[in-house]
Amino acid sequence: MDHKKIFQTHLMDIHDEVLSEGDEEDVIKNEEKVEKHLNKSTKTREIKRNHRSINRQVSLETGFSVLNRERKGRDDQRKVLTRSGTSLGGFGLEGHKSDFSIFKTKSTLSKQNSLLPRKLEKELESQKINDVDDDSVNASVPAGRYFAALRGPELDEVKDYEDILLPTDEKWPFLLRFPIGCYGICLGLGSQAVLWRTMATSPATSFLHIRPAVSFAIWLLALAVLIAVSITYILKCIFYFEAVRREYFHPVRINFFFAPWIVCMFLAISVPSQLAPHTTLQPAIWCTFIVPYFLLELKIYGQWLSGGKRRLSKVANPSNHLSVTGNFVGAILASKVGWNEPAKFFWAVGFAHYLVVFVTLYQRLPTSEALPKELHPVYTMFIAAPSAASLAWESIYGEFDGLCRTCYFIALFLYIALVVRIKFFTGFGFSVAWWAYTFPMTTMSVATIKYAEQVPSIISKCLALGLAFMSSTMVSFLLVSTLLHAFVWHTLFPNDLAIAITKRKKGREKKPLKKAYDIKRWTKKALTKNSENKDTSKNNG
């Protein structure tokens, strides 16, 4: 009733033409009472509904919808780019295509941003804050993430349910598509230069009458390819250093960072007599190539030794033999320059770590990541280390003695074991990774020639000739295929998806289901506990 009177007086006062001062004060008081009453009634209705309101503010400049704080936490979880790599994470809108700035070097990126207008620079900063959080390119990707997200001979193919940071529907810049694995080509050609120089100078193959000009031509070709690959990859380091960091953290590709120095040592060992008439090389050559190799070796072997996320049992793969084989190649070059003690040191380091890698890969420890089947072609790396160890021992001590032959026979057995399982090496598309076949095969061929020198017989000479022919044929085939894919079909360097994976998998990973025997064991424990509780309750009663 009181409220009706209040409303009546309120309506009557509005229609008054002139109000006195006392009447005005009464009207104001009545209006305040009405407002308080209405506010109370609306609050009680909102509490009954229990409905959370969402405040939307639309920006006229950008058109983005900014939700209130209740939705802020959920929006932060949706910052991963879609598989196409063209969406702005969390908002589901199309971004700028061909935007590869996230992999550019920080210095070059800052210079480009300084030349932009201020408004565009603000937009880039806001986009950078929204898009890059947990999946930052600058942060290192865990080693297990590469095994979980990638597949293929060199872990270079993204699995179907994974997302990447770059678009897949367009071709990336050439430097981004140029992998560190291209040094495998240099390894193949450099080892061939060593092989043909050995065949031209060895008494075991003197019946072939190979001219030194052949090895000289192969040496020049290997040197030219090494220079071209090195210049290209240096440009990648300058302009796309973040992509190089991704390759460095890759559990397979990190081993190819040893390849440039191994190739240089190969070329120094097989340098033609036309360029170096003296039999003894300068020690400075060995120091120039072995110092960066040794520093990188300390870093990698330290991770294996100290444990952690990149311990050997977690990242072990056949490509690790490449980091071990360089010790033996360095020992050979050290003996060539006349430094036998450093040669013995590197031989001991290489042999110790070869045993560790060999046992780790053979045992398949439960803590190690399961290697996919497509990685089997790189198993030819098993041959490289023991054959190079035998060559290094022969170069240091000057004879193919018992230990040298032991390493050689280990390599020979592994070679035969892989040849028998030829099905592992079929059914794969051509890629630069195929050059991994040639380097171990060529090293084995050179070791067989040295063995034929110490044990001259028809069998040893035929074995040396057969292995040399197989390795040279493989190199010739891969060289022709590489030229066709590069200059005719233009398919040699596809988009390098391996460097564009996210740091974490999008969405929450499902917990694995318990196995049947685990469930049975759990039910048995529950039943025994219930029976024990019942017995205790009866005794207490």
Side-chain angles (χ1 to χ4, degrees):
M1 296 296 293
D2 296 333
H3 298 301
K4 291 181 178 179
K5 291 179 180 180
I6 291 171
F7 280 108
Q8 288 175 359
T9 56
H10 178 64
L11 294 171
M12 291 172 64
D13 291 339
I14 290 173
H15 291 88
D16 291 340
E17 296 179 358
V18 181
L19 295 176
S20 62
E21 294 179 359
D23 293 335
E24 288 179 355
E25 292 178 357
D26 294 335
V27 171
I28 292 171
K29 291 179 179 179
N30 292 332
E31 289 177 352
E32 290 177 355
K33 291 180 180 180
V34 173
E35 289 177 356
K36 290 181 180 179
H37 180 75
L38 293 175
N39 290 332
K40 290 181 180 179
S41 61
T42 54
K43 288 181 180 179
T44 54
R45 289 177 183 175
E46 290 176 355
I47 294 172
K48 290 180 180 179
R49 290 178 182 176
N50 290 326
H51 181 70
R52 290 183 295 181
S53 62
I54 298 176
N55 298 326
R56 287 183 176 268
Q57 298 177 354
V58 180
S59 175
L60 295 177
E61 294 180 358
T62 60
F64 289 117
S65 298
V66 182
L67 303 181
N68 61 358
R69 295 180 179 177
E70 297 174 355
R71 297 287 300 277
K72 190 175 181 180
R74 283 179 287 178
D75 287 342
D76 291 337
Q77 297 176 357
R78 294 185 293 174
K79 291 180 180 177
V80 181
L81 295 176
T82 59
R83 185 62 183 270
S84 62
T86 58
S87 67
L88 294 178
F91 297 104
L93 298 177
E94 291 296 324
H96 299 284
K97 291 187 177 181
S98 303
D99 185 12
F100 303 98
S101 59
I102 58 176
F103 287 103
K104 287 185 177 180
T105 307
K106 294 180 181 179
S107 59
T108 57
L109 184 60
S110 61
K111 290 180 181 179
Q112 291 178 1
N113 290 339
S114 63
L115 299 176
L116 294 174
R118 188 170 184 80
K119 184 176 180 181
L120 182 58
E121 185 176 355
K122 290 181 178 180
E123 293 180 0
L124 290 174
E125 291 177 357
S126 62
Q127 179 181 351
K128 188 175 182 180
I129 294 173
N130 290 332
D131 290 346
V132 182
D133 189 11
D134 291 335
D135 294 304
S136 176
V137 180
N138 299 332
S140 61
V141 180
R145 180 72 183 123
Y146 286 97
F147 286 103
L150 301 176
R151 63 186 178 188
E154 287 291 326
L155 291 181
D156 54 356
E157 299 177 7
V158 180
K159 294 181 180 179
D160 296 334
Y161 53 83
E162 293 291 339
D163 296 315
I164 62 173
L165 298 172
L166 294 179
T168 58
D169 54 352
E170 56 181 307
K171 185 176 287 188
W172 300 356
F174 172 73
L175 293 178
L176 271 181
R177 294 183 286 113
F178 192 83
I180 186 68
C182 290
Y183 277 104
I185 303 175
C186 305
L187 281 172
L189 295 176
S191 59
Q192 281 291 310
V194 176
L195 173 62
W196 283 89
R197 188 177 189 278
T198 304
M199 293 175 65
T201 57
S202 175
T205 55
S206 58
F207 63 93
L208 296 176
H209 302 287
I210 298 175
R211 295 181 179 180
V214 178
S215 61
F216 184 46
I218 298 175
W219 188 88
L220 291 177
L221 177 62
L223 179 63
V225 173
L226 175 63
I227 294 174
V229 173
S230 299
I231 292 175
T232 306
Y233 203 78
I234 289 172
L235 293 176
K236 182 177 181 178
C237 294
I238 295 174
F239 295 103
Y240 294 98
F241 185 72
E242 300 303 328
V244 176
R245 291 181 72 252
R246 283 293 186 102
E247 289 192 302
Y248 176 78
F249 291 117
H250 195 286
V252 174
R253 296 189 183 184
I254 187 174
N255 299 286
F256 283 90
F257 281 87
F258 294 94
W261 315 110
I262 298 176
V263 176
C264 291
M265 288 187 284
F266 272 145
L267 295 179
I269 293 171
S270 61
V271 60
S273 58
Q274 294 88 336
L275 300 178
H278 300 288
T279 56
T280 304
L281 299 175
Q282 294 296 325
I285 298 176
W286 179 79
C287 295
T288 303
F289 300 148
I290 203 65
V291 169
Y293 180 92
F294 184 68
L295 294 177
L296 183 59
E297 187 177 55
L298 288 177
K299 175 67 174 178
I300 304 303
Y301 290 1
Q303 293 177 352
W304 295 357
L305 181 63
S306 61
K309 296 181 179 180
R310 297 187 181 275
R311 60 188 182 273
L312 181 61
S313 60
K314 191 177 183 63
V315 300
N317 61 84
S319 297
N320 293 130
H321 287 98
L322 188 59
S323 62
V324 175
T325 306
N327 291 284
F328 302 121
V329 180
I332 296 173
L333 184 58
S335 65
K336 296 290 184 182
V337 301
W339 288 6
N340 285 333
E341 293 303 317
K344 296 174 184 178
F345 170 80
F346 279 97
W347 191 95
V349 173
F351 190 75
H353 286 86
Y354 165 69
L355 293 178
V356 174
V357 173
F358 183 78
V359 173
T360 303
L361 292 175
Y362 247 62
Q363 282 186 336
R364 281 293 188 270
L365 298 176
T367 55
S368 63
E369 298 289 341
L371 294 176
K373 183 179 179 181
E374 288 81 0
L375 198 60
H376 285 313
V378 193
Y379 279 170
T380 52
M381 286 292 181
F382 275 97
I383 308 170
S387 58
S390 64
L391 290 173
W393 188 271
E394 190 272 339
S395 179
I396 295 171
Y397 295 98
E399 57 180 352
F400 213 86
D401 57 4
L403 182 58
C404 190
R405 296 184 186 186
T406 300
C407 296
Y408 170 73
F409 288 140
I410 292 174
L412 183 62
F413 170 78
L414 294 174
Y415 194 101
I416 296 173
L418 292 175
V419 171
V420 171
R421 291 166 176 80
I422 193 65
K423 61 180 181 180
F424 283 168
F425 308 97
T426 58
F428 301 103
F430 176 82
S431 67
V432 179
W434 278 33
W435 283 90
Y437 297 119
T438 61
F439 161 58
M441 293 175 64
T442 306
T443 308
M444 184 63 193
S445 303
V446 177
T448 306
I449 294 174
K450 294 295 183 180
Y451 175 75
E453 291 178 3
Q454 296 294 326
V455 186
S457 64
I458 298 177
I459 297 176
S460 61
K461 291 183 179 180
C462 290
L463 183 62
L465 184 60
L467 294 180
F469 175 77
M470 289 176 61
S471 63
S472 299
T473 303
M474 181 64 72
V475 169
S476 302
F477 170 75
L478 291 180
L479 183 61
V480 173
S481 300
T482 301
L483 294 175
L484 291 176
H485 281 273
F487 300 105
V488 179
W489 301 320
H490 303 286
T491 57
L492 184 61
F493 301 111
N495 292 340
D496 192 7
L497 304 180
I499 63 173
I501 62 173
T502 56
K503 185 179 178 182
R504 294 183 181 90
K505 184 179 179 180
K506 184 177 180 181
R508 295 181 179 178
E509 297 181 356
K510 296 182 179 179
K511 295 182 178 180
L513 297 175
K514 292 184 176 181
K515 296 181 180 180
Y517 61 85
D518 291 334
I519 297 175
K520 290 180 180 179
R521 185 172 57 184
W522 178 78
T523 53
K524 286 181 180 180
K525 288 182 179 180
L527 291 173
T528 53
K529 287 183 179 180
N530 291 331
S531 61
E532 290 177 357
N533 293 331
K534 289 180 180 180
D535 294 337
T536 53
S537 61
K538 288 180 181 180
N539 294 330
N540 293 330

